[in-house]
Amino acid sequence: MATKAQVKIDYELSFTEPQAHYVDVQMNIAGLSKPYVDVKMPVWAPGSYLVREFSKNVEGFTAKAGNKQLKAEKVKKNTWRIYNGTEKSVRINYSVYAFEVSVRTAFIDASHAFLSPTGIFMYPDNQLALGSTVKVIPYKGWSKVSTALEPVAGKQFTYTAKDFDILFDSPIEVGNQDVFEFMAAGVKHEVAMYGGGKYDPARLKADMAKVVDQATAIYGENPNQRYTFIVHNFARGGGGLEHLNSTVLGASRDGYATEEGYKDFLSLVAHEYHHLWNVKRLRPVALGPFDYENENYTTNLWIAEGFTAYYENKFMLRAGFESPDEFAGKLLFAVSGVINTPGAKVQSAAEASFDAWIKYYRPNENSNNTSVSYYNKGEVVGLLLDLEISHATKGTKSLDDVMKAMYLQCKSTRKGYTDAEFKTMAEKISGISLSDFWSKYVNGVHPIEYAKYFGYAGIKVEDGNAGKNIPYLGIALRGPEGHMSITAVSRNSAAWVDGLNVGDEVFSIGAELVIDKLPELQDKKVGDVVTVKIKRDFIEQEIKVTLKANPNVSLVPSMEASISADQRQVLKKWMGI
Ligand SMILES: [Zn+2]
């Protein structure tokens, strides 16, 4: 009897038509013991919570045993059944069309191939524990392969993955990318730069090493021996996707040349690098082992993504790239972002996480009214929890201690955490009950008590808009000059109440013509009625709107005149000052 352990899988990737955006995949399966085998393409890429239906890009699927053509048929959107009969080995060939530029989708052209593995490799049904070998045959003129996959000694461009979780977590860059390396925290880091750019490798090496050191310092250990950064430099690029021992970053070619652009890049590095702990190892229980065919639901993306966004700022501060003032400014920007999002009064952080698949990743014109980003809300929850813990422990503990303890717990149990386990650990470290905190900020939509929390560290935060009664319409406009249309209507605003709609083309508001931006309504006051001339479905209309007050906050920080010893301890723990 053949057993699963005897099944062997290898892939060969080649490029006959890269200019037309295709990769040719050959998959060999040996050691089969049943008369048919189902092979499947994942439907999503872990880290990006949307069903992307990667099998839509597959074509020319054939299966052979030696020279014998085998019957193969599609039995599901992402599943092919191969009738191998008594044949023990099959050779499968298919092509994948790859023309979507993003960190989580494959892209191939004449200059390079970025292979996002869940959109390239199929797996035999129920056999995710199997290891595999991958051989890459670069297109003529391409000379480099960059990946975190383990190289096979003595075989060029050949790699192994001990199971499919590793294979699917290891993107591959093929082409003529510039590669440099640096050591940090005892780990060899490789940076593969595609697309050129105005970066200084020596400066990047030094600064990226500082980020690595800051992240490693929290957890006390770095779990990798080798780590790969794949960086795609475009005219305007962005975004990142985390993996177990690599990451893919989008960047702007010219961005490195400005101080702001350079810091943005380091922030992205800090964010994605922190993920090698937070979400890849210190992970919600639902996120691994993955179900590659269905949505994987978790209520904890506010920790996995939101806390990572919060720590991005902490690392920038601790590495000396940003000042305490800049740090506080970024956090207040995040707090205002939540407060000024009407949807934050509707959807909790836990709900935002659970519904990532159908809301965050599938936004529409009403998203701002009905949902909150788990990045934004989670960043704020991380900030509040950090200050709550430091306040409760008189500056002796912080969220860092919770993150480290949870990482070690996940490592020893080899399981992800539940929401209850995370809360229990935070309570253990802070020494206080966090039930009220969780019901307000994790599972509820309680207003953010920014004055109280910043006050713990001796920082006074006030709303610069308070009492100003600024007249406000509540719409966003976009479009060509002279033909601007409404793209969003804010819940409970004047426009919402009086019936301006998304899609309305706006000609004038009161006496002011709308040419290329929203008039500022400076000569108006709250309660004034303005006539808005619009065209809806080709019919001109006049809509009377009664202006309401702008509900948005504009938060301004200042140090309190005198700071107590307790506040001083929290501030020291938090910002190091
Ligand atoms: Zn992230």
Side-chain angles (χ1 to χ4, degrees), residues 32 34-39 61-65 68-75 80-90 92:
L32 293 169
K34 290 184 178 161
Y36 73 84
V37 58
D38 286 346
V39 293
F61 186 100
T62 61
K64 285 183 172 179
K68 190 170 83 181
Q69 194 79 39
L70 297 174
K71 183 187 168 194
E73 64 180 354
K74 234 182 142 172
V75 293
W80 285 256
R81 179 163 294 168
I82 300 153
Y83 296 91
N84 52 296
T86 55
E87 300 288 351
K88 300 272 179 277
S89 302
V90 298
I92 297 162

Side-chain angles (χ1 to χ4, degrees), residues 242 271-272 275 305 308 375:
E242 67 277 7
H271 181 103
E272 300 305 333
H275 272 315
E305 286 300 347
T308 304
Y375 285 84

